[in-house]
Every structure is written in C-alpha cells, then in structure tokens.
Amino acid sequence: MTRGRRVRWSSRRGLPAIPSTPLAPKVWRSFDGATMRLCCSTWVLALLLPEAASRLAGQSVPAPSAAGNYVIDPDTQIRLVEGFDAELLYAVPPEQGSWVAMAFDPQGRLIVSDQDSQGVFRVTLAKAGDPAAKVRVESLPGFPYEPVPWGQRTVGGATGFLYAFDSLYMASMKGFYRIRDTDGDDQYDEFTKIQALEMGYEHSAHSIVPTEDGKALYLVSGNHSRVPQGVPSRQPAVWREDSLLPAMPDPQGHAVGVEAPGGWVCRISPDGKDWTMVASGLRNSVDLAINRDGELFTYDSDMEFDIGSPWYRPTRVNHLTSAAEFGWRAGSAAWPDHFADSLGAVVDIGPGSPTGMSFGYQSSFPAHYQEQLFLCDWTFGTIYTLDMTESGSSYVGKATEFLSGSPLNIAAMRFGPDGHMYFVVGGRNTASKLYRVRYTGPAQPAAEPRATAMQSLRDLRHGLEAYHDGGRGGRAAIEAAWPHLRHDDRSIRYAARLAIENQPVGLWQDRVLAESQPRAVIYGVLALCRHGSKTLTSRVLQQLGNVSFESLAHEDRLALLRAYSLCFLRLDPPTPAEVAAVVASLDPHYPAKDELLDAELCRVLSHLDAPTVVGKTIGLMKVTATKALAYDQELLGRHEYGEAILKAMANTPNRQNIHYAHALRRVQSGWTLEDRKYYFGWLGDTMRKDGGKSFAGYIRAIREDAIAHLPPSDAAAVSWLLGEIEGPDLGSLPLPKGPPGGWTTESAMQLFSGELVDRDYENGKQMFAAGKCIACHRFQGSGGYSGPDLGTVGKRFAIRDILVAICEPSQSISEQYQASKITQRDGAVHYGRLIYRNAEETAFAADPFALGVLTKLPSASVASLEPSQTSMMPPATIALMNADEVRDLIAYLVSGGNRKDKRFRRN
C-alpha cells in the first residue's frame, strides 16, 4: 500500500461471519513500554498442556474457547472479532527501519524505535474515523545508540520505552537510560545512562512498566543478560541448576553456559539508584502487566527446539509474586512446573513468540474486554485475550483468539489515551507497520462486579512477602511464616518458605530438624538444603524418612521427592546404608500408576542406582502409551516454525518414555541383556520420530551417554544396536547443470523483474538439494536441523529478502544459529557452533552439515569466546546454478513446496 496513506478495514461490512475456531491458549500483561521478543524463545511449537505439571505425562491442553464470530477483511486478510474495526495507520519506510518498541508520551504521541540503527521516532496519530487525517512521523535526534554488530546488521536500538516521572525511560541491549526535555521546547536534550546492562542480543533487557504503587519502575530482561553486579535480590542468591539427572546441553548449542538465575525482573527507583531483583527463572519474557489487584504478570517464551522432549516448556503466563522462581534452566535441566521450589504458570499457551501484553482497563472496548489481558504473538501473528479468575492467592486463565493475520509479526502493543489499541509489526528488518484497533459495534452492557473473594489470601501472601527483606525480619519473620509452610495454597507456602530463607539459617535450622508436621518438614527441608551446611545429610534424610509417603497428598508426594533431590544435589553424599534406606522407603511405591509420580520416582531411584529401577522402568516403557499432540493446524500453518509441530503430530514421540530413557542412561545395577536390547532398540526407533530442531540431538546424546556407561561385556552383547545413526550423504546430492552464474543479490534480482511463472517444480526441488539447502534446513517436514525451517519462508519474506539470505548469509544471523569465535591461549582461533562448555572441556561443531562431529578443547586452554559475525551458512550455494535453476529454486521456496502453485507450469 502507498506509504503514509491510511487503509481501513471493518468487521461490519456485511461479510458472512466465520464460525469461531479454538486456538492454542495464550496469556499476557503489560503497561506503557513494549518490546518485541525475537528469539527462539521460543518462537514456536509447544506442547499444549493443562498445567506444566502434565508435561511429563504428555497430556495436551484443551484449545481455548472462541470469542464469538470472526470476519476476514478482504483487503488485508486480517481475521478479527466481529464488532471491531482495524486501520493500517502507517507503513514504515525502509529508511525508518523496523519498529520493535513503543510507548505513549503525555501528549498522546507514540515514541517508537527501530531495532537496528535507524533511530527513534515520534508519531503524531491521525484522529480515528477522520479519512482526511494523516499520521506525522518525526525523527528524534540525540538518543543514545550503542551499536552491537550482528552479522552484517548492526543492532542496538531501543528495546523498551516508558514515560513516567517527567522522563522517558529507555532500555536497550547495553543500557538503561533516563531521558528528559529540560528546557520545555518539546525536544529531548538530556540523556543519562542509569545502568550498563550485559548485552544478550534478543535475550537482553526489554520492557519497562510502572510499579503497582506508582513509586518505581519494573524492568524485565531475557536470560542472556545477567542481573547487574551488586543488585540485591528478594530471593537469597543461592540459585543453582539443581538438576538431579546430569543435564544435557542443547545439541544445537543454544544457551550453552547460560546459568541461573536466568531471565529476571528488577524494581528500580525513578532516579535509577536503587535496584532490587524481584523474580527470576524466566527464559525470555518481553513485557509485563499489572492487574487491578496490583499483581504483576509476564508472558514467557518457550524453547521450540525442545518440542517432543519431556523438558519442553510451552509459552506461558506467569504470576510474578515476590521472590518468584520459575525454573528456567538450559538444555535438559529445565524444571517441570510441579517442582516445589518454584512457582507454576497461570496458564500454558503453547506455540508462539511472546511480545506485547496489556490489560484492557484503559480501553474503550466493551466492559468484558476491559477486564481481559491482551497478549501478542510475533511468530503466529496473533493477539489473544486472557480471562483470568482467582485461584487461591493466585490466578488461572483461559485464552481466546482476538485477531490474527499472516504475516502479522506483532512486535509491540499498547492502548492509547483515546482508548484504542495500537500495535506495530516489525523486527529483524521485516516490513514494519502501525495499526489501530477500535470497537465500532453496538453498545454493550456493563460488566458484572469483579470477584475479589480471595483478597484475604492475597493479603496473607503480601504480609509474608514483606519478610523477603534480606534478613531484617529475624525471629519475628520466622514465627510469622512458619505456620504457613503447611498452607494449602502453593503461592502462600512459597512466600512463607522464602520469608524464612531470607533470615539467617542459624535461627531456623534446628526448627526444621525438630518439625513433625509432614508438609512443614518437606518445605523446611527444601529451605535447609538450599542454605544449610553440606554436613547435614544424615539429619535431613532422617527427617524425610519420618514422612510417610503413602499418607501424603499427590502434590506433597511430588514435593517430598524434590526434597530428596535437593538433599542429594546440595549436601554431602549419603552413606551406602542411607541410600539403601531411601530406596527401601520409595521403591515399593514405584510404579505409582501416575505418570508424574512415576517420572519423579524414576528420577530419584535412578540417581540412587536402585537395583529394581531398570526392570520396573523398562516395564513401564513397554506399556506407556504415546500421547497424541493436539494443536490447531491453522495456527501452526501461519509460520514455518509450525511445520515441525505438524510433522511431529503425525510421528509423535513418547515424551514420558524419553524421560525414562534419560533417567536410566547412567544406571549400573539391575540390567539384563533383554533390557539392554529393548532400551537401545527403543532409542533407535525414537531417533526416527519428529520434534524440534534439538530433538534428534537429545536422543542421540542420551544414547551416546548410555553407551559410554555400558560395562564392556554388555557393550559387546548389544554391539549390533550401537551403530551410528546415518547423517545426510552430501556426496549423493545432485549437482546444478549450470553454467555457473556467480550470483550476487543484485544480479539474481534481475531474474525476477517480471512475474515468476512457468517454472519447473521438480527442478526447483532438485536445486533445493543441489544447493545443499536440504542438509541444514527443514522443508515440508524433511531436511536438516542446523538452520531455520524454510517451510513458509515465502509467506513471510519477499524474493529480495530470500536472495539476501542466500547470497549474504552474514547480513542477519539469528542468535539461535550464531557461531562462536574461540581463541586459545596459544593464539589459535577456531570458528563453529558452541555445543557445550564445562570446567574441563569446550566442544564446538565446525561443520554446519555435521553438528554431531565435535572438536574438543581443554577449557583451560580457551582464552576467549565471543559471538562470530560470520554465518556458518556458505555464501555461494547458488553460484553454480544457471538462471532457470535459480528461478525454479526460488519458485519452489516461495510456493512452500506446493506443486500446484500458480508459479509452476502444468504438465
């Protein structure tokens, strides 16, 4: 559409209403400063589970309910709820970049920023309903810009804005700023860097919102940017990975070396001098929102590479109570939702890439929508509403699709002072646009009074949270909190435990060891294992041994098993007699005929090398049914990331059995030859299942670790099952006919000056193999995993964008696929995908076609490790092709592999 012209679509044009279709649940919240989360985080695929606790059980979450009737606008193909009107206010020209952050100033103007280097802009909005009104955009000079090289791009633009306390606050990848107009001329002239921040690319600092009391600010950051040094925390700083089963790093090398506390939220005073971390254990939350009760929420990302594994955690809404821990850990160490030393989700959403979120309180929408939390998704181009209800001192929610489009990569969203919704699409150099959504339907009745029946429980929790004070509460805090270790409400138990943990351990250790009430014993031990002396093993195990497993409720059984895990992780190793006693106590309850309990019993008994755990677990693996994945296929079809889920739906892995195999891989006792054969045979079969990009690598890692821990006699007996799984045979791929064109982006673009028609489908498919694309990229459910899925690339990118990615792969590198530059102390320099790094060894894959072939260096020999600005993708994959071969390849890509596409000639 013509730049600067306003294009409008209406949901009330007499179009036939489309029956509403349930979609995967979603959840969010935010205030004045929105940013985009553009990273794997998830972008994608998820197991839609009823609660994160069901993750190991493999159950699927019911799809969200429908909002009513939807209509599709014939001009824009946006689907939205009937009764709402949407306008395209402004198509951002290339010289203004791709917008990813936005906030309103006191005059009702938008402050927006390019993600890269084009700067900050102020947008004066056109009046709604006035066809003659136009948007006015002006560049704002002087804004801080700290460049971050990223391939051939230079990023570093603002990632979040908020106007508050007569100032504009700005977050970027490298800093947090306070910006003011000191002379009243309507131009910002004072730029103060309040705090330097660790750069984490798209997992850096994001949105800023005012606190619930209006006296300070909240800032949310992704997991690749550590909390600034010296910042105090409402959680005692004793976080660890706490994975009883030895963790496996992501086989694609993502987040290697990134440790707890993960993504965080800090409270910041208006002058920027006082910072306190209030929550952590997030992956890459981008935005925040506060409800009428003064409670803080975020929408956290998933790790789509993990789809199909038991440690996959879908995108989800989290209630950010004081000192909250949500258990993000790298690789297979991610905590399941039910771990008692963490807090669970308000709701699991599923596939997607969370960006902006905001309650509708300030909107002019009907009363029902004013109470909803609006959630934006970049990957699947969707805005959801979340209807939350009280659940004890926290909440549960149900999500519904509000609007969607393809492509509609929503980067940020806010409600304006006029009551309308505004959102921008953009990020990663994609075409950027500004939209407005307003209600134009008939008047609606006022909403019923909001339920606040649980306010007394929230007040109790708040009272306990006041003791998250770094030890100032002392004995009074312990006395106030202790009775609530046994409370029925999970969030209150958590707040009570953290109130106790904030006090000196010497004031409460003996009380834990003298406690007799079972639930208080469990939660007291959780605290003591995190703070007490490592020598307390025997006394702690004695206390836990006094708790009768069979007398406990389901959630307390899970908590007891987690308490045992923390004891074994954090305290001195138990004696053989103590191990035997724990095994004797737990083994009779395994299997428990409950998949969550079976998963945790298997975890603990495998760690203890219990003599019966192998036989019992192999028995379970033989009878555990594979749970079907339930996803909305239309939603998944909006983006190439959905292709992997659709493939997995047709070839579903057994996630519960993967957990069992993961747990058994180092067990030495109790194996029979038949068990070994079944175990390795099952792993071989599972290698042929489908999941996220890291799925096959994880199964391979389980298998290799199990082989490494085989006794020689057993290895010989099952050697026929231990052969390598074959990778792609590059020598068998076809070659272009040529003659070579030596193509650049510009010379290749000349091939597409006319309409792309009359192309050869089979030749395009053959060129996808000839260019070695198939070795690294998924397409139509097959291909490699070391690069992005290209299944719907034609829906999201223009031909020029595709050619830039082929001819200039270093122009823009996703952090998911970024290589590293590894410099040794002797001056040797290596390039490759970092796969893992520990105290002893640093391993990387130098060949993008063979990520399983690792170069290993002693970690002590590594002087530095930094992101490489050169893509691992070769830059000349189409160089040997002739003009028709290039045209056929591009037609094949933009068609999504559809041989019936209009671009192909009919035989």
Side-chain angles (χ1 to χ4, degrees):
M1 300 179 183
T2 304
R3 175 165 59 89
R5 294 188 62 188
R6 186 178 63 183
V7 181
R8 202 183 93 177
W9 67 87
S10 172
S11 61
R12 306 190 60 77
R13 293 181 177 172
L15 296 174
I18 300 171
S20 51
T21 303
L23 292 175
K26 309 255 167 177
V27 184
W28 288 59
R29 310 190 174 193
S30 89
F31 256 63
D32 281 349
T35 63
M36 178 183 75
R37 182 189 68 75
L38 291 174
C39 52
C40 83
S41 164
T42 193
W43 288 10
V44 105
L45 344 157
L47 309 170
L48 304 179
L49 311 175
E51 35 181 55
S54 323
R55 205 165 286 110
L56 286 172
Q59 299 170 0
S60 295
V61 170
S65 60
N69 291 323
Y70 296 90
V71 295
I72 295 179
D73 173 71
D75 299 323
T76 64
Q77 298 303 298
I78 297 290
R79 184 181 107 135
L80 70 168
V81 175
E82 188 175 20
F84 287 87
D85 180 81
E87 301 166 275
L88 171 59
L89 297 181
Y90 187 67
V92 181
E95 60 268 22
Q96 293 176 355
S98 190
W99 295 352
V100 298
M102 64 183 288
F104 282 94
D105 72 6
Q107 288 75 42
R109 299 169 298 188
L110 277 171
I111 308 297
V112 298
S113 176
D114 173 39
Q115 188 183 23
D116 289 9
S117 58
Q118 298 303 314
V120 176
F121 303 89
R122 183 160 56 195
V123 181
T124 302
L125 298 166
K127 183 178 179 181
D130 182 356
K134 294 184 178 180
V135 167
R136 183 166 64 88
V137 179
E138 56 183 311
S139 177
L140 295 178
F143 271 68
Y145 178 73
E146 297 184 81
V148 177
W150 198 351
Q152 293 183 4
R153 292 171 61 199
T154 301
V155 297
T159 54
F161 287 120
L162 170 69
Y163 198 96
F165 306 109
D166 296 320
S167 304
L168 179 68
Y169 292 90
M170 183 183 93
S172 74
M173 292 182 182
K174 288 190 172 181
F176 185 71
Y177 301 85
R178 187 177 191 179
I179 300 165
R180 299 197 299 167
D181 171 13
T182 63
D183 56 12
D185 66 350
D186 203 29
Q187 294 295 316
Y188 295 106
D189 52 40
E190 181 183 87
F191 305 91
T192 304
K193 187 174 186 178
I194 291 175
Q195 176 71 59
L197 297 174
E198 182 177 352
M199 194 279 294
Y201 292 100
E202 288 172 345
H203 290 231
S204 299
H206 297 295
S207 291
I208 315 153
V209 303
T211 56
E212 63 282 351
D213 58 9
K215 296 179 180 180
L217 313 166
Y218 285 127
L219 172 68
V220 63
S221 175
N223 57 353
H224 286 201
S225 180
R226 295 192 67 83
V227 182
Q229 189 172 4
V231 169
S233 171
R234 290 183 186 170
Q235 298 173 26
V238 295
W239 41 75
R240 296 185 190 172
E241 301 309 289
D242 287 332
S243 176
L244 188 63
L245 300 176
M248 299 182 298
D250 176 66
Q252 297 285 322
H254 184 72
V256 170
V258 180
E259 298 180 343
W264 47 267
V265 177
C266 278
R267 181 184 172 107
I268 307 168
S269 63
D271 61 8
K273 294 180 179 179
D274 298 320
W275 288 55
T276 303
M277 191 178 82
V278 300
S280 71
L282 302 167
R283 185 176 183 274
N284 193 29
S285 295
V286 170
D287 209 350
L288 301 165
I290 299 174
N291 73 357
R292 294 191 191 276
D293 300 322
E295 303 289 340
L296 181 66
F297 298 84
T298 194
Y299 184 18
D300 199 13
S301 68
D302 66 348
M303 174 47 167
E304 74 275 16
F305 288 6
D306 294 348
I307 291 296
S309 73
W311 42 87
Y312 172 75
R313 304 191 336 161
T315 63
R316 56 190 191 153
V317 172
N318 292 322
H319 180 193
L320 301 176
T321 59
S322 173
E325 158 71 83
F326 292 99
W328 174 84
R329 301 294 187 269
S332 68
W335 296 7
D337 205 52
H338 59 264
F339 272 8
D341 45 337
S342 69
L343 290 170
V346 172
V347 64
D348 282 349
I349 300 302
S353 181
T355 52
M357 60 189 298
S358 185
F359 280 99
Y361 301 146
Q362 306 305 315
S363 77
S364 56
F365 291 3
H368 166 73
Y369 287 99
Q370 291 178 19
E371 297 298 321
Q372 304 289 296
L373 177 59
F374 289 79
L375 312 170
C376 301
D377 178 83
W378 192 90
T379 296
F380 295 111
T382 305
I383 296 179
Y384 301 88
T385 59
L386 179 70
D387 187 12
M388 286 197 292
T389 55
E390 296 177 303
S391 177
S393 70
S394 188
Y395 304 84
V396 294
K398 188 173 185 178
T400 304
E401 184 173 301
F402 178 67
L403 66 79
S404 64
S406 180
L408 197 70
N409 46 319
I410 303 166
M413 179 271 291
R414 287 292 179 262
F415 286 97
D418 57 6
H420 305 319
M421 173 191 286
Y422 293 83
F423 66 86
V424 295
V425 301
R428 291 195 172 177
N429 285 340
T430 57
S432 197
K433 298 175 183 179
L434 171 65
Y435 292 91
R436 172 166 55 205
V437 177
R438 58 197 179 103
Y439 181 69
T440 58
Q444 298 290 322
E448 296 182 2
R450 187 173 52 92
T452 57
M454 302 297 179
Q455 186 60 48
S456 61
L457 290 178
R458 290 192 290 275
D459 290 342
L460 171 58
R461 175 169 52 76
H462 294 159
L464 295 168
E465 290 168 347
Y467 294 117
H468 300 169
D469 57 6
R472 292 186 296 275
R475 295 187 186 281
I478 296 167
E479 290 300 323
W482 202 270
H484 301 295
L485 288 175
R486 66 183 73 174
H487 203 282
D488 288 338
D489 184 277
R490 178 177 182 176
S491 295
I492 290 175
R493 290 197 303 272
Y494 184 93
R497 178 173 60 82
L498 267 293
I500 293 166
E501 287 192 29
N502 263 271
Q503 315 311 317
V505 67
L507 297 180
W508 51 270
Q509 172 179 303
D510 289 345
R511 189 163 182 174
V512 171
L513 297 173
E515 180 61 61
S516 59
Q517 201 280 333
R519 181 178 279 172
V521 169
I522 294 168
Y523 285 88
V525 164
L526 287 173
L528 190 56
C529 289
R530 286 161 46 86
H531 294 269
S533 167
K534 292 171 67 69
T535 63
L536 290 171
T537 306
S538 296
R539 299 179 70 187
V540 164
L541 289 178
Q542 182 178 357
Q543 269 293 75
L544 294 178
N546 291 333
V547 176
S548 169
F549 187 90
E550 57 267 21
S551 68
L552 296 175
H554 183 267
E555 66 174 332
D556 293 329
R557 292 182 178 186
L558 292 171
L560 175 64
L561 293 167
R562 181 60 174 166
Y564 274 118
S565 292
L566 286 192
C567 174
F568 301 140
L569 282 162
R570 294 205 175 212
L571 307 186
D572 287 338
T575 66
E578 289 166 341
V579 169
V582 175
V583 170
S585 172
L586 298 179
D587 187 68
H589 304 289
Y590 182 57
K593 298 182 180 179
D594 176 276
E595 289 196 348
L596 280 181
L597 284 174
D598 283 340
E600 295 310 313
L601 284 163
C602 180
R603 190 192 307 270
V604 174
L605 292 170
S606 293
H607 173 79
L608 297 175
D609 206 41
T612 65
V613 69
V614 170
K616 290 183 175 184
T617 305
I618 294 296
L620 281 174
M621 292 177 71
K622 292 177 178 179
V623 299
T624 298
T626 298
K627 302 297 190 300
L629 302 178
Y631 305 115
D632 184 277
Q633 296 190 29
E634 188 277 330
L635 175 99
L636 298 176
R638 297 175 193 169
H639 194 281
E640 60 263 25
Y641 286 107
E643 295 296 325
I645 307 178
L646 292 169
K647 183 71 173 178
M649 289 171 67
N651 192 25
T652 304
N654 190 317
R655 299 182 298 281
Q656 181 81 358
N657 275 1
I658 293 171
H659 170 76
Y660 291 147
H662 181 232
L664 291 183
R665 71 193 197 275
R666 296 189 179 184
V667 174
Q668 296 297 301
S669 300
W671 287 97
T672 66
L673 181 58
E674 289 305 313
D675 289 339
R676 294 285 193 198
K677 290 179 178 179
Y678 180 85
Y679 180 82
F680 284 105
W682 184 89
L683 285 171
D685 291 342
T686 302
M687 281 290 297
R688 298 173 178 85
K689 297 296 183 180
D690 286 286
K693 291 183 184 298
S694 294
F695 175 78
Y698 276 125
I699 302 303
R700 190 188 303 272
I702 292 172
R703 183 173 171 276
E704 290 176 351
D705 199 22
I707 292 171
H709 288 83
L710 271 176
S713 58
D714 285 5
V718 295
S719 58
W720 59 280
L721 286 170
L722 306 184
E724 285 300 311
I725 304 297
E726 292 184 5
D729 180 5
L730 300 182
S732 68
L733 297 179
L735 296 174
K737 292 180 180 179
W743 305 104
T744 65
T745 300
E746 296 306 321
S747 65
M749 271 301 298
Q750 295 177 20
L751 303 177
F752 302 96
S753 57
E755 191 175 2
L756 185 61
V757 294
D758 200 33
R759 301 320 312 161
D760 186 323
Y761 173 86
E762 291 298 338
N763 194 48
K765 184 176 181 179
Q766 186 167 354
M767 288 306 100
F768 188 75
K772 297 186 175 64
C773 314
I774 197 170
C776 296
H777 299 279
R778 303 292 285 177
F779 193 81
Q780 292 294 297
S782 62
Y785 287 96
S786 59
D789 192 307
L790 302 180
T792 59
V793 66
K795 294 181 180 180
R796 301 188 60 78
F797 298 101
I799 290 176
R800 170 176 284 277
D801 297 326
I802 296 171
L803 289 171
V804 168
I806 293 172
C807 299
E808 306 168 52
S810 296
Q811 195 273 340
S812 182
I813 308 171
S814 167
E815 51 86 24
Q816 296 165 271
Y817 308 106
Q818 192 162 25
S820 295
K821 176 184 176 182
I822 304 164
T823 304
Q824 291 186 269
R825 298 188 187 279
D826 63 4
V829 178
H830 308 271
Y831 294 90
R833 181 82 60 81
L834 182 66
I835 301 301
Y836 67 82
R837 188 183 188 192
N838 54 41
E840 293 77 34
E841 201 169 56
T842 297
F844 64 94
D847 185 352
F849 303 122
L851 293 186
V853 179
L854 302 184
T855 300
K856 300 178 182 180
L857 306 172
S859 290
S861 74
V862 177
S864 66
L865 195 156
E866 55 189 296
S868 171
Q869 304 310 317
T870 302
S871 173
M872 291 187 72
M873 175 177 166
T877 55
I878 63 170
L880 298 180
M881 299 180 190
N882 62 38
D884 279 328
E885 288 171 329
V886 172
R887 290 189 183 100
D888 291 342
L889 170 64
I890 296 301
Y892 180 69
L893 288 171
V894 299
S895 73
N898 177 14
R899 67 170 61 248
K900 296 182 179 180
D901 188 271
K902 64 181 181 180
R903 299 171 181 86
F904 298 117
R905 68 177 67 104
R906 298 293 180 264
N907 294 325

